Amino acid sequence: MSAVAPGSKGKVLLAYSGGLDTSCILVWLIEQGYEVLAYMANVGQEEDFEAAREKALKVGATKVFIEDLRRELVEELVIPTIQANAVYETVYLLGTSVARPVIARSQVAIAQREGCTHVSHGCTGKGNDQVRFELAYYALDPKLQVIAPWRIPEFYKRFPGRNALLEYAAEKSIPVSQTPSKPWSTDENLFHISYEAGILEDPNVTPPKDMWKLTVDPEEAPNTPERITITFKAGKPVRVTNEADGTDVTDPLDLFLYLNTVARRNGVGRIDIVENRFIGIKSRGCYETPGGTVLRAAHIDLEGLVLDREIRAYRDEHITPVFGKIMYNGLYFSPEGDLITKMVPLTQTNVNGSVRVKLYKGSISMEGRWSETETLYDMEQSSMDVQGDFEPTDSDGFIKIQSIRLKKWGATLQK
């Protein structure tokens, strides 16, 4: 036993998962002289929270906090991310990234309320999450101190691998799940699930079929397409209907959970990529983002109908990529994060209307879209069969003006 008196070094709130790593960290922190409180965030992952609570108390936590953050995750992070059409490196829908701000914010609030001197997490020293959590901690409460065990030599040299953690768990009577460890790691919330490490570290290894947890294999999805209608107001999804199963849902959280359900059963939302982590390391990741993939595709489609060309171009160049980078790099709580999140709604005022979506064996197709309030699209003006109020001869002057510089450039090529 350590000679250090429990609690002599202060009180720490540990972001706790109930798994092997954070359970060992919890006991190790107590050995180092800290009073440890455990914190769990319900962001939609499949988890036995009460079993985790009992485990944390059993191994020495003085209190356990379980916070349901699903609604604020959807309303404050997921929907604005969809409004911005945000992605990282053109393909990653930021599923892990968007959950971190609400998790960190809640952890800091509890730490302040409970008089904690420290917060702690179980993130590795090579990943993005350590950056995301800690930058949020420091922005929200600069006085809080952070304990990151996987960056402390005393800790990571003592526990160089899973076997060392298992031996420590046995020594300290830490309950360990008897289910075999899968050869990859996962992170799950209601927006997505990620898979990385283990066998996936070889970018040329095809993920085994049984890895994918959320979505039906597209090849085994139903042979009949499924059709839904998504309605947006100011860029926010406000209604989803499905005449086939009688669904008509309007609550933001229920709406998103339903989109997950319908996308999962049709095999929608899988990607397998190699990305650049913020700290400079390339990483291979596989992701399932079922509802988010459908929602983003429908939102982009509706914008084609109702969004002004120059607003869309400005947003796509100056807001979408910046928003994605800010979220990925853990800078949501920053001056630039505050600015960009305030800019997104300004681009969405006219994104009002509905989109008819077909889901079929992993694919998404738009079968129609309309708006009862926006009038940028004029059928007569666009028609090749009806002249409407557009005078074709007006194009003559437009082309002449546009060609002035091109004629000059062409002339230089003739010299």
Side-chain angles (χ1 to χ4, degrees), residues 72-93:
E72 60 192 88
L73 171 58
V74 169
E75 295 180 354
E76 295 183 35
L77 275 302
V78 171
I79 289 177
T81 299
I82 296 297
Q83 287 179 298
N85 296 334
V87 289
Y88 179 70
E89 295 187 335
T90 73
V91 286
Y92 172 47
L93 298 187

Side-chain angles (χ1 to χ4, degrees), residues 269-316:
R270 295 183 180 185
I271 62 169
D272 178 349
I273 63 173
V274 175
E275 67 199 69
N276 291 291
R277 289 178 179 169
F278 187 24
I279 63 171
I281 298 173
K282 282 189 178 291
S283 171
R284 191 267 188 97
C286 299
Y287 302 96
E288 291 177 280
T289 315
T293 299
V294 174
L295 199 54
R296 182 175 185 270
H299 178 261
I300 290 173
D301 183 83
L302 180 62
E303 286 189 328
L305 179 72
V306 301
L307 194 58
D308 176 79
R309 180 184 72 178
E310 295 305 317
I311 290 178
R312 186 175 189 176
Y314 184 88
R315 192 277 316 278
D316 288 351

